[in-house]
């Protein structure tokens, strides 16, 4: 009978469409996970890095001896890791910092890690309580060797390969 | 909080994907609406186009608000919600038609149709969704109102117990009557209290996780730090006793324990929570008749087929009738289950859309929860992490409690299935919940502001100390 066929088509069609929706949704997640190149945040043209190396999509470099991530080893954020790319990492309590510190002894804009040709450089941004690399206070941009401890207030941070 | 902070995460806003999925969800809901008519009398009901267009307009408006106020928010949350809500309205209408039919056959007056009301509640919900996105531009601001939220939440929670405003419906006293409509204030209280929990735990996290003694491999917190969890426990017990509402008290306690766990990463909180839960369940079973009845019905529903177990048994039969593919919308008789529109809407889905439909609905919920937890993981501030984690978990727990109850996995407690069940308070509140999750995911997925951008440069100039500049 015609109407029975229509009813069956509607019934299975609805269930099929339901799962097509889910498959589309899952595909969206997969596209997110595969880590397509991130669109660069809006920047004034003059400030854009000009070297061809920096213009390539940000991707953690896996080379021996070059830090690929930043690990918080002590303090309220212990266990947090940040993957290092080619962009500078800002540390502080200000909530637009790359790593937002929940530490009473940290300043809003406390310190900054900047990638250079020879590795990462730590720079204090005029914090109230200072930034320490190992046991020395950082007063000028200082290169950070792998595994040495950066201390900000009660937070300790290490760069790891 | 060990989490992978990924400042280089996907920075694409993916709003186009969201719009496409939203339109797809609306089309699916309209197809369902038509399917009800086709299943019942072989014709496409006249309201199909109107329903589809109305729902579509609503979601396009919501989408435009997201585009404007939270451009980097997760693209999946809103479409999944839209599909669940659209399906919910279709099912409520289908049950409306069934009860109207039955009333006509029995020569009684046709009862009020609930689907139009549900559509109105959905409109209010989407309105609030937009309002939350517009007003709450930065979720961390909410932390400032923590204690206000706590006071308002507790007040709302206790309001139904007051004589005069409170109303007892179906044995549970968790409603207040405002003019012609009844509102379930515990739903809104849930979100307000979660904001408070998140803010409270962020400030007290160090004390709760660091000061502890190690006993038999488990870090036990100090006795005085047990205060908050004991308070939550007492409050949820009070709700249980005063308002006879098992579901809500279970939800509150579960949410609080899990948020403690997220904040401190201490398994001991989960163990303490489970111990307290087991103890209070045992006591409640022996003290309260209604708890005992629920447990007995769960253990052997068919023994009570004709009295207290009727609802559960009818629901199980309904799902059994549905089988793998269901009877088709409009072909079954889901209205034989009492409260099919609210607590037992899953039984109606199981009967008419079958196992395939039920699984689809559960996967949709799983997707929403997964996206919420992902937003919490990638969020860069602790308050957002905790609130996001709490909201997502609350949703997951609520779905588990009611789906488990309806399918006979756990004792039945009356909570709604978010967005699907008929009920204004539930729909509206869950839209607020999803708006907050969207706000957090927007903050999480927004590309980290580059330190050389002009605004940041200005700000760092303001923070910078005075320095002596030497001229060459």
């Amino acid at each position: 009978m015609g109407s029975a066929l229509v009813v069956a088509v509607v019934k299975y069609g609805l269930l099929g469409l339901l799962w097509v929706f889910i498959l589309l949704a899952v595909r969206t997640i997969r596209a997110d996970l595969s880590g397509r190149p991130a669109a660069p945040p809006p920047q004034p043209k003059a400030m854009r890095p000009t070297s061809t190396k920096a213009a390539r999509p940000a991707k953690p470099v896996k080379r021996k001896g070059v830090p690929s991530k930043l690990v918080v080893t002590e303090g309220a954020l212990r266990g947090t890791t940040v993957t290092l790319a080619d962009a500078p990492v800002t540390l502080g309590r200000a909530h637009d910092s790359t790593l937002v510190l929940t530490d009473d002894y940290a300043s809003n804009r406390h310190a900054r890690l900047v990638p250079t040709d020879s590795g990462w450089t730590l720079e204090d941004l005029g914090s109230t309580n200072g930034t320490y690399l190992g046991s020395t206070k950082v007063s000028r941009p200082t290169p950070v060797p792998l595994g040495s401890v950066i201390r900000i207030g009660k937070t300790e941070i290490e760069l790891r390969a | 909080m060990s989490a992978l902070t990924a400042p280089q995460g996907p920075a694409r806003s993916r709003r186009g994907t969201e719009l496409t999925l939203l339109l797809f969800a609306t089309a699916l809901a309209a197809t369902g609406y038509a399917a009800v008519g086709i299943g019942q009398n072989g014709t496409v009901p006249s309201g199909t186009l109107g329903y589809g267009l109305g729902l579509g307009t609503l979601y396009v408006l919501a989408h435009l608000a997201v585009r404007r106020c939270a451009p980097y928010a997760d693209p999946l949350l809103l479409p999944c919600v839209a599909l669940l809500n659209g399906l919910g309205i279709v099912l409520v209408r289908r049950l409306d038609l069934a009860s109207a039919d039955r009333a006509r056959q029995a020569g009684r007056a046709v009862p009020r149709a609930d689907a139009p009301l549900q559509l109105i509640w959905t409109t209010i919900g989407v309105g609030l969704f937009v309002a939350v996105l517009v007003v709450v531009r930065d979720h961390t601001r909410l932390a400032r109102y923590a204690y206000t939220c706590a006071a308002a939440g507790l007040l709302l929670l206790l309001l139904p117990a007051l004589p005069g405003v409170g109303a007892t419906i179906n044995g549970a006293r968790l409603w207040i009557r405002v003019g012609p409509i009844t509102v379930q204030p515990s739903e809104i209280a849930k979100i307000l209290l979660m904001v408070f929990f998140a803010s409270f735990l962020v400030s007290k996290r160090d004390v709760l996780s660091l000061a502890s003694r190690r006993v038999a491999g488990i870090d036990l917190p100090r006795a005085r730090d047990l205060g908050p969890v004991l308070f939550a426990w007492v409050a949820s017990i009070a709700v249980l006793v005063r308002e006879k509402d098992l579901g809500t008290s279970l939800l509150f306690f579960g949410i609080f324990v899990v948020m403690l766990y997220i904040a401190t990463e201490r398994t001991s909180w989960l163990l303490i929570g489970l111990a307290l839960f087991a103890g209070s369940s045992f006591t409640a079973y022996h003290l309260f008749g209604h708890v005992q009845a629920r447990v007995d019905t769960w253990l052997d529903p068919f023994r009570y087929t004709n009295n207290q177990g009727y609802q559960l048994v009818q629901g199980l039969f309904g799902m059994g009738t549905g089988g793998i593919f269901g009877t088709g919308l409009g072909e079954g008789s889901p209205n034989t289950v009492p409260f099919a529109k609210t607590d037992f809407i899953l039984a109606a889905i199981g009967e008419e859309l079958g196992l395939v439909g039920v699984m689809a609905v559960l996967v949709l919920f799983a997707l929403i929860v997964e996206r919420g937890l992902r937003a919490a993981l990638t969020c860069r501030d602790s308050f957002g992490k905790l609130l996001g984690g709490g909201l997502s978990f609350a949703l997951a727990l609520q779905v588990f409690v009611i789906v488990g109850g309806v399918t006979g996995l756990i004792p039945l407690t009356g909570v709604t299935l978010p967005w699907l069940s008929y009920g204004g308070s539930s729909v509206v509140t869950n839209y607020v919940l999803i708006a907050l999750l969207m706000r957090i995911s927007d903050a999480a997925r927004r590309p980290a502001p580059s330190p050389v951008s002009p605004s940041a440069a200005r700000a760092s100039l303001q923070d910078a100390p005075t320095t002596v500049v030497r001229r060459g």
Side-chain angles (χ1 to χ4, degrees):
Chain A
M1 217 172 87
S3 75
L5 184 71
V6 171
V7 167
V9 166
V10 168
K11 174 179 148 185
Y12 292 107
L14 189 68
L15 289 176
L17 284 177
L18 215 53
W19 281 97
V20 169
F21 179 92
I22 288 172
L23 287 182
L24 283 178
V26 171
R27 226 185 52 167
T28 309
I29 296 181
R30 214 187 53 183
D32 262 11
L33 285 181
S34 69
R36 300 248 189 97
Q43 271 180 10
K45 250 201 174 121
M47 301 268 188
R48 199 162 274 192
T50 43
S51 79
T52 47
K53 195 187 164 210
R56 262 187 294 161
K59 201 170 72 179
V61 192
K62 282 262 153 85
R63 248 184 300 150
K64 226 183 174 183
V66 176
S68 70
K69 65 180 184 238
L70 173 161
V71 183
V72 181
T73 50
E74 207 55 64
L77 292 172
R78 196 175 61 177
T80 310
T81 62
V82 175
T83 313
L84 296 174
D86 284 343
V89 172
T90 53
L91 308 163
R93 290 199 305 173
H95 99 121
D96 57 351
S97 313
T98 318
L99 180 65
V100 182
L101 301 171
T102 34
D103 189 320
D104 291 341
Y105 297 93
S107 300
N108 274 336
R109 280 163 227 287
H110 198 109
R112 186 162 69 170
L113 279 163
V114 186
T116 59
D117 288 343
S118 53
W120 289 80
T121 309
L122 178 65
E123 212 180 310
D124 187 83
L125 297 175
S127 64
T128 311
N129 293 318
T131 307
Y132 291 83
L133 185 62
S135 55
T136 47
K137 192 166 177 176
V138 174
S139 51
R140 63 174 67 83
T142 312
V144 185
L146 260 185
S148 60
V149 176
I150 301 168
R151 196 163 60 76
I152 293 173
K154 290 181 171 172
T155 309
E156 287 179 7
I157 297 165
E158 273 178 40
L159 294 190
R160 289 186 187 164
Chain B
M1 239 177 286
S2 78
L4 189 76
T5 323
Q8 298 297 325
R12 314 198 322 160
S13 72
R14 293 192 151 272
R15 290 273 75 83
T17 315
E18 181 184 76
L19 185 61
T20 315
L21 284 175
L22 271 177
L23 294 178
F24 191 5
T26 312
L28 252 171
T31 313
Y33 195 93
V36 171
I38 293 172
Q40 287 215 314
N41 46 29
T43 54
V44 176
S46 54
T48 307
L49 196 64
Y51 173 66
L53 286 179
L55 210 60
T57 316
L58 214 53
Y59 289 130
V60 167
L61 286 177
H63 167 77
L64 290 178
V66 172
R67 218 171 243 273
R68 204 175 153 68
C69 302
Y72 291 100
D74 195 283
L76 281 186
L77 288 171
L78 193 56
C80 290
V81 169
L83 181 53
L84 287 173
N85 199 352
L87 274 181
I89 297 173
V90 167
L91 286 161
V92 171
R93 182 181 140 77
R94 191 257 166 277
L95 291 159
D96 274 346
L97 291 176
S99 50
D101 265 359
R102 199 197 245 177
R104 241 179 261 118
Q105 276 165 13
R108 279 179 284 123
V110 174
R112 182 190 67 181
D114 287 330
L117 267 177
Q118 181 78 341
L119 203 52
I120 293 174
W121 283 118
T122 302
T123 314
I124 297 174
V126 172
L128 267 177
F129 171 87
V130 173
V132 169
L133 284 185
V134 170
V135 174
V136 187
R137 283 303 173 104
D138 173 8
H139 60 271
T140 48
R141 292 266 168 98
L142 286 175
R144 291 189 200 165
Y145 303 101
Y147 285 88
T148 318
C149 286
L154 281 179
L155 185 72
L156 283 173
L157 201 56
L158 298 176
L159 214 50
L162 290 180
V165 270
T168 306
I169 299 181
N170 310 322
R173 194 177 174 86
L174 65 152
W175 304 78
I176 51 171
R177 209 178 282 282
V178 186
I181 52 169
T182 49
V183 184
Q184 203 172 341
S186 63
E187 295 270 357
I188 287 287
K190 188 172 70 187
I191 292 189
L192 289 173
L193 287 177
M194 261 190 271
V195 171
F196 167 68
F197 287 167
S199 160
F200 174 82
L201 290 173
V202 165
S203 57
K204 295 281 186 289
R205 181 175 50 192
D206 285 348
V207 183
L208 290 174
S209 65
L210 295 180
S212 58
R213 268 174 302 126
R214 212 172 169 78
V215 179
I218 308 163
D219 287 309
L220 286 179
R222 292 181 303 183
R224 59 178 155 166
D225 297 331
L226 279 170
V229 70
L230 285 176
F231 177 75
W233 180 63
V234 169
S236 59
I237 295 286
V239 172
L240 172 70
V241 176
R242 289 290 310 162
E243 302 174 8
K244 293 198 172 182
D245 183 17
L246 282 169
T248 311
S249 71
L250 179 66
L251 277 185
F252 274 112
F253 188 63
I255 291 167
F256 189 77
V257 169
V258 166
M259 284 180 82
L260 257 177
Y261 172 63
I262 300 176
T264 60
E265 283 183 72
R266 293 282 160 126
T267 327
S268 56
W269 286 116
L270 286 185
L271 296 177
I272 293 168
L274 280 176
L276 282 175
F277 173 71
S280 53
S281 306
F282 184 77
T283 321
Y285 177 77
H286 286 284
L287 279 183
F288 304 117
H290 65 281
V291 178
Q292 213 158 9
R294 295 285 175 92
V295 174
D296 291 344
T297 317
W298 163 61
L299 288 175
D300 190 2
F302 293 97
R303 208 168 110 200
Y304 304 96
T305 305
N306 293 318
N307 40 52
Q308 42 172 300
Y310 181 75
Q311 187 185 26
L312 185 58
V313 167
Q314 289 303 320
L316 290 175
F317 274 134
M319 286 186 279
T321 313
I324 303 276
F325 293 104
T327 57
L329 277 173
E331 308 269 323
S333 48
N335 51 315
T336 46
V337 187
F339 300 109
K341 280 178 200 167
T342 53
D343 296 355
F344 268 68
I345 196 127
L346 191 84
I349 299 172
E351 179 166 356
E352 303 218 313
L353 295 174
L355 181 67
V356 177
V358 169
M359 291 319 286
V361 164
L362 292 183
V363 171
L364 284 174
F365 278 119
L367 280 175
I368 296 175
V369 171
E370 191 269 342
R371 296 321 281 168
L373 288 176
R374 173 129 295 262
L377 271 179
T378 41
C379 186
R380 276 177 289 145
D381 64 283
S382 318
F383 176 73
K385 272 181 196 300
L386 256 179
L387 185 61
L391 291 171
S392 315
F393 174 76
L395 198 61
L397 183 62
Q398 183 162 353
V399 172
F400 172 75
V401 163
I402 185 62
V403 171
V406 169
T407 51
L409 181 69
I410 55 173
L412 180 65
T413 51
V415 293
T416 56
L417 195 55
W419 297 293
L420 278 168
S421 292
Y422 170 73
S425 321
S426 165
V427 168
V428 169
T429 311
N430 284 313
Y431 268 106
V432 172
L433 186 151
I434 217 70
L436 288 177
L437 274 184
M438 296 276 280
R439 172 52 70 215
I440 292 169
S441 82
D442 177 53
R445 293 162 59 95
R446 192 183 287 271
S450 124
V452 289
S453 74
S455 66
R458 244 201 326 277
S460 65
L461 201 63
Q462 277 163 6
D463 289 353
T466 316
T467 50
V468 180
V469 181
R470 285 212 188 93
R471 304 182 100 189

